[in-house]
Amino acid sequence: DTEVTQTPKHLVMGMTNKKSLKCEQHMGHRAMYWYKQKAKKPPELMFVYSYEKLSINESVPSRFSPECPNSSLLNLHLHALQPEDSALYLCASSQDRTGGEQFFGPGTRLTVL
Amino acid sequence: GEDVEQSLFLSVREGDSSVINCTYTDSSSTYLYWYKQEPGAGLQLLTYIFSNMDMKQDQRLTVLLNKKDKHLSLRIADTQTGDSAIYFCADYTGGFKTIFGAGTRLFVKA
């Protein structure tokens, strides 16, 4: 299995809602990433988990809260988002910290009303 | 800081070759990647080249690396309409960070 899966595919939420994005991989990768991608822009790194520990937080606002329950799962909890947070949220994984080859999921298209 | 630059658009006719160019600034690059993104989808790794190589060929794809000029190119032979997408050049220098270029939008005309 060489796939990264993400759910849901699309999400529409209000500014007072709480929702979660989920990401799963079964390739035995020990590093997992959240990226945010706005239209016609490259992905921007948000968080990196390595061996289930948060390794990088790129100064992301606290309304985004990542969680890595185990080596296969990565969640992104969303609360009190703003309309400018609307974007494609991509999850990726890589074998470990020694290689940059990342496998991306299809993304969750988030719209904040 | 590190930077990766790409031209934003490229238009070619079906059957022609496409060449997408990229320049990067970091001298300590270890791997350089090309990713493809189709509309509404995630990024798909196409190919990569290790920094001590100058060329890599993989079926219709040829990657050329000029380390002295910090220039990377991706050539797609016999370009098809299914190749229409955004192509991102990415520079991996170690740790967890990959620096992505802005992406080149490839249009293939039938």
Side-chain angles (χ1 to χ4, degrees):
Chain A
D1 184 358
T2 58
E3 206 179 27
V4 176
T5 58
Q6 288 187 245
T7 55
K9 199 171 170 64
H10 300 276
L11 178 62
V12 179
M13 60 187 289
M15 289 190 282
T16 57
N17 292 157
K18 283 186 183 182
K19 296 285 184 185
S20 297
L21 309 185
K22 296 186 184 305
C23 173
E24 193 165 1
Q25 56 88 13
H26 294 288
M27 294 178 277
H29 289 174
R30 301 314 299 267
M32 294 184 77
Y33 309 71
W34 279 116
Y35 286 88
K36 174 183 177 180
Q37 187 181 25
K38 298 285 262 184
K40 300 182 182 177
K41 297 287 186 187
E44 297 172 31
L45 184 64
M46 299 174 73
F47 302 103
V48 181
Y49 272 83
S50 172
Y51 292 84
E52 294 106 73
K53 289 189 173 17
L54 184 64
S55 294
I56 294 179
N57 176 342
E58 290 287 283
S59 303
V60 179
S62 59
R63 57 186 185 267
F64 295 91
S65 174
E67 179 198 17
C68 189
N70 61 53
S71 60
S72 301
L73 292 174
L74 184 66
N75 298 322
L76 186 63
H77 302 298
L78 314 172
H79 174 55
L81 294 194
Q82 304 295 310
E84 60 264 29
D85 296 321
S86 299
L88 182 67
Y89 287 84
L90 294 165
C91 174
S93 69
S94 66
Q95 199 161 23
D96 56 28
R97 67 191 71 184
T98 60
E101 182 180 349
Q102 295 181 30
F103 292 78
F104 282 81
T108 294
R109 173 74 58 193
L110 174 68
T111 303
V112 182
L113 300 176
Chain B
E2 303 96 343
D3 194 20
V4 174
E5 291 195 358
Q6 302 177 237
S7 52
L8 293 182
F9 298 101
L10 176 65
S11 180
V12 300
R13 290 196 180 279
E14 194 172 22
D16 288 351
S17 291
S18 309
V19 179
I20 303 172
N21 294 301
C22 168
T23 56
Y24 60 98
T25 57
D26 200 313
S27 303
S28 57
S29 299
T30 51
Y31 292 91
L32 292 137
Y33 295 87
W34 284 103
Y35 287 90
K36 175 184 180 183
Q37 186 175 33
E38 297 186 47
L43 276 68
Q44 173 197 353
L45 178 66
L46 281 180
T47 187
Y48 66 92
I49 190 165
F50 190 49
S51 58
N52 69 355
M53 298 169 66
D54 50 23
M55 185 179 106
K56 180 178 179 182
Q57 187 146 6
D58 184 359
Q59 300 182 339
R60 292 192 296 125
L61 305 178
T62 303
V63 179
L64 295 178
L65 175 60
N66 181 327
K67 200 170 179 184
K68 175 176 164 288
D69 294 339
K70 298 193 179 76
H71 181 267
L72 181 75
S73 68
L74 173 70
R75 179 175 178 269
I76 306 172
D78 187 25
T79 313
Q80 303 297 306
T81 54
D83 295 323
S84 294
I86 301 176
Y87 291 80
F88 290 99
C89 171
D91 177 13
Y92 174 71
T93 59
F96 295 108
K97 292 200 181 180
T98 297
I99 311 297
F100 288 89
T104 298
R105 191 175 293 269
L106 175 64
F107 295 95
V108 182
K109 295 175 283 190

